[in-house]
PDB file of all heavy atoms in Angstrom:
ATOM      1  N   ILE N 250     144.034 149.154 104.137  1.00 96.00           N
ATOM      2  CA  ILE N 250     144.869 150.128 103.411  1.00 96.00           C
ATOM      3  C   ILE N 250     145.284 151.254 104.369  1.00 96.00           C
ATOM      4  O   ILE N 250     146.449 151.663 104.405  1.00 96.00           O
ATOM      5  CB  ILE N 250     144.125 150.714 102.187  1.00 96.00           C
ATOM      6  CG1 ILE N 250     143.727 149.617 101.203  1.00 96.00           C
ATOM      7  CG2 ILE N 250     145.009 151.748 101.479  1.00 96.00           C
ATOM      8  CD1 ILE N 250     142.825 150.095 100.070  1.00 96.00           C
ATOM      9  N   ARG N 251     144.317 151.731 105.167  1.00 96.00           N
ATOM     10  CA  ARG N 251     144.629 152.827 106.098  1.00 96.00           C
ATOM     11  C   ARG N 251     145.669 152.399 107.132  1.00 96.00           C
ATOM     12  O   ARG N 251     146.578 153.154 107.480  1.00 96.00           O
ATOM     13  CB  ARG N 251     143.347 153.326 106.773  1.00 96.00           C
ATOM     14  CG  ARG N 251     142.532 154.245 105.862  1.00 96.00           C
ATOM     15  CD  ARG N 251     141.594 155.140 106.660  1.00 96.00           C
ATOM     16  NE  ARG N 251     140.484 154.368 107.190  1.00 96.00           N
ATOM     17  CZ  ARG N 251     139.286 154.266 106.618  1.00 96.00           C
ATOM     18  NH1 ARG N 251     139.049 154.905 105.481  1.00 96.00           N
ATOM     19  NH2 ARG N 251     138.331 153.546 107.150  1.00 96.00           N
ATOM     20  N   GLN N 252     145.532 151.156 107.633  1.00 95.00           N
ATOM     21  CA  GLN N 252     146.526 150.658 108.606  1.00 95.00           C
ATOM     22  C   GLN N 252     147.897 150.541 107.941  1.00 95.00           C
ATOM     23  O   GLN N 252     148.921 150.835 108.560  1.00 95.00           O
ATOM     24  CB  GLN N 252     146.094 149.301 109.177  1.00 95.00           C
ATOM     25  CG  GLN N 252     144.774 149.318 109.937  1.00 95.00           C
ATOM     26  CD  GLN N 252     144.759 150.294 111.100  1.00 95.00           C
ATOM     27  OE1 GLN N 252     145.804 150.776 111.552  1.00 95.00           O
ATOM     28  NE2 GLN N 252     143.566 150.626 111.572  1.00 95.00           N
ATOM     29  N   GLY N 253     147.915 150.081 106.685  1.00 95.00           N
ATOM     30  CA  GLY N 253     149.177 149.999 105.949  1.00 95.00           C
ATOM     31  C   GLY N 253     149.834 151.366 105.814  1.00 95.00           C
ATOM     32  O   GLY N 253     151.048 151.511 105.988  1.00 95.00           O
ATOM     33  N   GLU N 254     149.021 152.390 105.534  1.00 96.00           N
ATOM     34  CA  GLU N 254     149.566 153.752 105.403  1.00 96.00           C
ATOM     35  C   GLU N 254     150.125 154.251 106.737  1.00 96.00           C
ATOM     36  O   GLU N 254     151.165 154.908 106.769  1.00 96.00           O
ATOM     37  CB  GLU N 254     148.474 154.698 104.889  1.00 96.00           C
ATOM     38  CG  GLU N 254     148.126 154.438 103.432  1.00 96.00           C
ATOM     39  CD  GLU N 254     147.091 155.399 102.892  1.00 96.00           C
ATOM     40  OE1 GLU N 254     146.028 155.564 103.526  1.00 96.00           O
ATOM     41  OE2 GLU N 254     147.340 155.982 101.822  1.00 96.00           O
ATOM     42  N   ASN N 255     149.424 153.918 107.843  1.00 94.00           N
ATOM     43  CA  ASN N 255     149.937 154.316 109.167  1.00 94.00           C
ATOM     44  C   ASN N 255     151.310 153.703 109.429  1.00 94.00           C
ATOM     45  O   ASN N 255     152.192 154.328 110.014  1.00 94.00           O
ATOM     46  CB  ASN N 255     148.980 153.861 110.285  1.00 94.00           C
ATOM     47  CG  ASN N 255     147.677 154.644 110.266  1.00 94.00           C
ATOM     48  OD1 ASN N 255     147.626 155.732 109.712  1.00 94.00           O
ATOM     49  ND2 ASN N 255     146.639 154.085 110.854  1.00 94.00           N
ATOM     50  N   LEU N 256     151.472 152.450 109.005  1.00 94.00           N
ATOM     51  CA  LEU N 256     152.711 151.729 109.294  1.00 94.00           C
ATOM     52  C   LEU N 256     153.840 152.085 108.331  1.00 94.00           C
ATOM     53  O   LEU N 256     155.004 152.182 108.732  1.00 94.00           O
ATOM     54  CB  LEU N 256     152.453 150.216 109.234  1.00 94.00           C
ATOM     55  CG  LEU N 256     151.622 149.609 110.364  1.00 94.00           C
ATOM     56  CD1 LEU N 256     151.117 148.225 109.977  1.00 94.00           C
ATOM     57  CD2 LEU N 256     152.445 149.521 111.649  1.00 94.00           C
ATOM     58  N   PHE N 257     153.515 152.235 107.036  1.00 95.00           N
ATOM     59  CA  PHE N 257     154.574 152.247 106.018  1.00 95.00           C
ATOM     60  C   PHE N 257     154.599 153.496 105.144  1.00 95.00           C
ATOM     61  O   PHE N 257     155.424 153.608 104.257  1.00 95.00           O
ATOM     62  CB  PHE N 257     154.457 151.000 105.121  1.00 95.00           C
ATOM     63  CG  PHE N 257     154.317 149.728 105.906  1.00 95.00           C
ATOM     64  CD1 PHE N 257     153.173 148.952 105.814  1.00 95.00           C
ATOM     65  CD2 PHE N 257     155.321 149.321 106.785  1.00 95.00           C
ATOM     66  CE1 PHE N 257     153.031 147.798 106.565  1.00 95.00           C
ATOM     67  CE2 PHE N 257     155.187 148.169 107.539  1.00 95.00           C
ATOM     68  CZ  PHE N 257     154.034 147.409 107.430  1.00 95.00           C
ATOM     69  N   GLY N 258     153.693 154.437 105.374  1.00 94.00           N
ATOM     70  CA  GLY N 258     153.702 155.654 104.572  1.00 94.00           C
ATOM     71  C   GLY N 258     152.606 155.639 103.519  1.00 94.00           C
ATOM     72  O   GLY N 258     151.849 154.676 103.406  1.00 94.00           O
ATOM     73  N   TRP N 310     153.991 148.410  99.119  1.00 97.00           N
ATOM     74  CA  TRP N 310     155.184 149.109  99.619  1.00 97.00           C
ATOM     75  C   TRP N 310     156.445 148.274  99.376  1.00 97.00           C
ATOM     76  O   TRP N 310     157.442 148.782  98.876  1.00 97.00           O
ATOM     77  CB  TRP N 310     155.032 149.397 101.123  1.00 97.00           C
ATOM     78  CG  TRP N 310     153.985 150.415 101.410  1.00 97.00           C
ATOM     79  CD1 TRP N 310     154.143 151.785 101.415  1.00 97.00           C
ATOM     80  CD2 TRP N 310     152.603 150.185 101.709  1.00 97.00           C
ATOM     81  NE1 TRP N 310     152.947 152.401 101.700  1.00 97.00           N
ATOM     82  CE2 TRP N 310     151.988 151.447 101.888  1.00 97.00           C
ATOM     83  CE3 TRP N 310     151.824 149.034 101.849  1.00 97.00           C
ATOM     84  CZ2 TRP N 310     150.633 151.584 102.194  1.00 97.00           C
ATOM     85  CZ3 TRP N 310     150.475 149.156 102.153  1.00 97.00           C
ATOM     86  CH2 TRP N 310     149.891 150.429 102.315  1.00 97.00           C
ATOM     87  N   ALA N 333     155.311 142.785 106.869  1.00 96.00           N
ATOM     88  CA  ALA N 333     154.333 143.883 106.796  1.00 96.00           C
ATOM     89  C   ALA N 333     152.901 143.353 106.892  1.00 96.00           C
ATOM     90  O   ALA N 333     152.053 143.940 107.578  1.00 96.00           O
ATOM     91  CB  ALA N 333     154.533 144.651 105.491  1.00 96.00           C
ATOM     92  N   ARG N 335     151.871 140.717 108.497  1.00 96.00           N
ATOM     93  CA  ARG N 335     151.558 140.319 109.876  1.00 96.00           C
ATOM     94  C   ARG N 335     151.372 141.531 110.784  1.00 96.00           C
ATOM     95  O   ARG N 335     150.601 141.459 111.748  1.00 96.00           O
ATOM     96  CB  ARG N 335     152.634 139.347 110.382  1.00 96.00           C
ATOM     97  CG  ARG N 335     152.450 137.991 109.714  1.00 96.00           C
ATOM     98  CD  ARG N 335     153.553 136.995 109.948  1.00 96.00           C
ATOM     99  NE  ARG N 335     153.239 135.780 109.188  1.00 96.00           N
ATOM    100  CZ  ARG N 335     154.121 134.861 108.841  1.00 96.00           C
ATOM    101  NH1 ARG N 335     155.396 135.007 109.177  1.00 96.00           N
ATOM    102  NH2 ARG N 335     153.757 133.800 108.157  1.00 96.00           N
ATOM    103  N   ARG N 336     152.052 142.617 110.472  1.00 96.00           N
ATOM    104  CA  ARG N 336     151.826 143.849 111.231  1.00 96.00           C
ATOM    105  C   ARG N 336     150.407 144.385 110.967  1.00 96.00           C
ATOM    106  O   ARG N 336     149.727 144.851 111.888  1.00 96.00           O
ATOM    107  CB  ARG N 336     152.881 144.893 110.849  1.00 96.00           C
ATOM    108  CG  ARG N 336     154.309 144.549 111.290  1.00 96.00           C
ATOM    109  CD  ARG N 336     154.481 144.565 112.804  1.00 96.00           C
ATOM    110  NE  ARG N 336     154.088 145.855 113.374  1.00 96.00           N
ATOM    111  CZ  ARG N 336     154.889 146.930 113.413  1.00 96.00           C
ATOM    112  NH1 ARG N 336     156.133 146.855 112.943  1.00 96.00           N
ATOM    113  NH2 ARG N 336     154.458 148.056 113.941  1.00 96.00           N
ATOM    114  N   ILE N 337     149.969 144.306 109.694  1.00 94.00           N
ATOM    115  CA  ILE N 337     148.605 144.760 109.357  1.00 94.00           C
ATOM    116  C   ILE N 337     147.577 143.844 110.027  1.00 94.00           C
ATOM    117  O   ILE N 337     146.602 144.309 110.629  1.00 94.00           O
ATOM    118  CB  ILE N 337     148.407 144.791 107.822  1.00 94.00           C
ATOM    119  CG1 ILE N 337     149.302 145.863 107.192  1.00 94.00           C
ATOM    120  CG2 ILE N 337     146.940 145.046 107.471  1.00 94.00           C
ATOM    121  CD1 ILE N 337     149.359 145.814 105.663  1.00 94.00           C
ATOM    122  N   VAL N 338     147.796 142.514 109.950  1.00 92.00           N
ATOM    123  CA  VAL N 338     146.872 141.546 110.567  1.00 92.00           C
ATOM    124  C   VAL N 338     146.770 141.785 112.076  1.00 92.00           C
ATOM    125  O   VAL N 338     145.691 141.722 112.666  1.00 92.00           O
ATOM    126  CB  VAL N 338     147.316 140.091 110.262  1.00 92.00           C
ATOM    127  CG1 VAL N 338     146.587 139.086 111.144  1.00 92.00           C
ATOM    128  CG2 VAL N 338     147.075 139.770 108.786  1.00 92.00           C
ATOM    129  N   VAL N 340     147.081 144.543 113.726  1.00 93.00           N
ATOM    130  CA  VAL N 340     146.260 145.719 114.020  1.00 93.00           C
ATOM    131  C   VAL N 340     144.779 145.432 113.740  1.00 93.00           C
ATOM    132  O   VAL N 340     143.901 145.784 114.517  1.00 93.00           O
ATOM    133  CB  VAL N 340     146.723 146.932 113.180  1.00 93.00           C
ATOM    134  CG1 VAL N 340     145.818 148.130 113.451  1.00 93.00           C
ATOM    135  CG2 VAL N 340     148.163 147.302 113.515  1.00 93.00           C
ATOM    136  N   ARG N 408     160.470 147.886 118.600  1.00 97.00           N
ATOM    137  CA  ARG N 408     159.541 148.173 117.507  1.00 97.00           C
ATOM    138  C   ARG N 408     159.534 149.653 117.084  1.00 97.00           C
ATOM    139  O   ARG N 408     159.549 149.934 115.878  1.00 97.00           O
ATOM    140  CB  ARG N 408     158.130 147.699 117.881  1.00 97.00           C
ATOM    141  CG  ARG N 408     157.135 147.920 116.773  1.00 97.00           C
ATOM    142  CD  ARG N 408     155.815 147.229 117.038  1.00 97.00           C
ATOM    143  NE  ARG N 408     155.862 145.832 116.646  1.00 97.00           N
ATOM    144  CZ  ARG N 408     154.790 145.046 116.602  1.00 97.00           C
ATOM    145  NH1 ARG N 408     153.608 145.521 116.970  1.00 97.00           N
ATOM    146  NH2 ARG N 408     154.887 143.789 116.220  1.00 97.00           N
ATOM    147  N   ASP N 412     160.230 150.609 113.271  1.00 97.00           N
ATOM    148  CA  ASP N 412     159.201 151.246 112.441  1.00 97.00           C
ATOM    149  C   ASP N 412     159.746 152.492 111.754  1.00 97.00           C
ATOM    150  O   ASP N 412     159.472 152.737 110.569  1.00 97.00           O
ATOM    151  CB  ASP N 412     157.974 151.608 113.289  1.00 97.00           C
ATOM    152  CG  ASP N 412     157.094 150.392 113.563  1.00 97.00           C
ATOM    153  OD1 ASP N 412     157.390 149.307 113.021  1.00 97.00           O
ATOM    154  OD2 ASP N 412     156.104 150.528 114.302  1.00 97.00           O
ATOM    155  N   GLU N 413     160.520 153.283 112.488  1.00 96.00           N
ATOM    156  CA  GLU N 413     161.130 154.484 111.890  1.00 96.00           C
ATOM    157  C   GLU N 413     162.078 154.085 110.760  1.00 96.00           C
ATOM    158  O   GLU N 413     162.114 154.705 109.699  1.00 96.00           O
ATOM    159  CB  GLU N 413     161.889 155.291 112.957  1.00 96.00           C
ATOM    160  CG  GLU N 413     160.994 156.112 113.866  1.00 96.00           C
ATOM    161  CD  GLU N 413     159.980 156.959 113.102  1.00 96.00           C
ATOM    162  OE1 GLU N 413     160.396 157.755 112.234  1.00 96.00           O
ATOM    163  OE2 GLU N 413     158.757 156.793 113.341  1.00 96.00           O
ATOM    164  N   LEU N 415     161.936 151.359 108.918  1.00 96.00           N
ATOM    165  CA  LEU N 415     161.176 150.855 107.764  1.00 96.00           C
ATOM    166  C   LEU N 415     160.632 151.997 106.916  1.00 96.00           C
ATOM    167  O   LEU N 415     160.714 151.958 105.684  1.00 96.00           O
ATOM    168  CB  LEU N 415     160.003 149.986 108.237  1.00 96.00           C
ATOM    169  CG  LEU N 415     160.270 148.508 108.504  1.00 96.00           C
ATOM    170  CD1 LEU N 415     158.987 147.820 108.902  1.00 96.00           C
ATOM    171  CD2 LEU N 415     160.882 147.826 107.282  1.00 96.00           C
ATOM    172  N   LYS N 416     160.061 153.005 107.584  1.00 96.00           N
ATOM    173  CA  LYS N 416     159.508 154.135 106.825  1.00 96.00           C
ATOM    174  C   LYS N 416     160.607 154.841 106.023  1.00 96.00           C
ATOM    175  O   LYS N 416     160.410 155.221 104.870  1.00 96.00           O
ATOM    176  CB  LYS N 416     158.833 155.132 107.775  1.00 96.00           C
ATOM    177  CG  LYS N 416     157.423 154.717 108.167  1.00 96.00           C
ATOM    178  CD  LYS N 416     156.739 155.788 108.989  1.00 96.00           C
ATOM    179  CE  LYS N 416     155.276 155.397 109.232  1.00 96.00           C
ATOM    180  NZ  LYS N 416     154.672 156.132 110.342  1.00 96.00           N
ATOM    181  N   ILE N 419     161.636 152.641 102.991  1.00 96.00           N
ATOM    182  CA  ILE N 419     160.672 152.692 101.884  1.00 96.00           C
ATOM    183  C   ILE N 419     160.751 154.040 101.161  1.00 96.00           C
ATOM    184  O   ILE N 419     160.766 154.096  99.924  1.00 96.00           O
ATOM    185  CB  ILE N 419     159.240 152.406 102.407  1.00 96.00           C
ATOM    186  CG1 ILE N 419     159.142 150.926 102.849  1.00 96.00           C
ATOM    187  CG2 ILE N 419     158.189 152.713 101.351  1.00 96.00           C
ATOM    188  CD1 ILE N 419     157.938 150.597 103.710  1.00 96.00           C
TER     189      ILE N 419
END
Side-chain angles (χ1 to χ4, degrees):
I250 300 172
R251 281 202 287 264
Q252 299 303 344
E254 289 182 309
N255 290 339
L256 289 164
F257 311 117
W310 291 274
R335 287 171 182 160
R336 292 293 304 277
I337 294 170
V338 167
V340 177
R408 182 169 277 189
D412 282 355
E413 283 310 304
L415 274 182
K416 279 186 174 162
I419 291 165

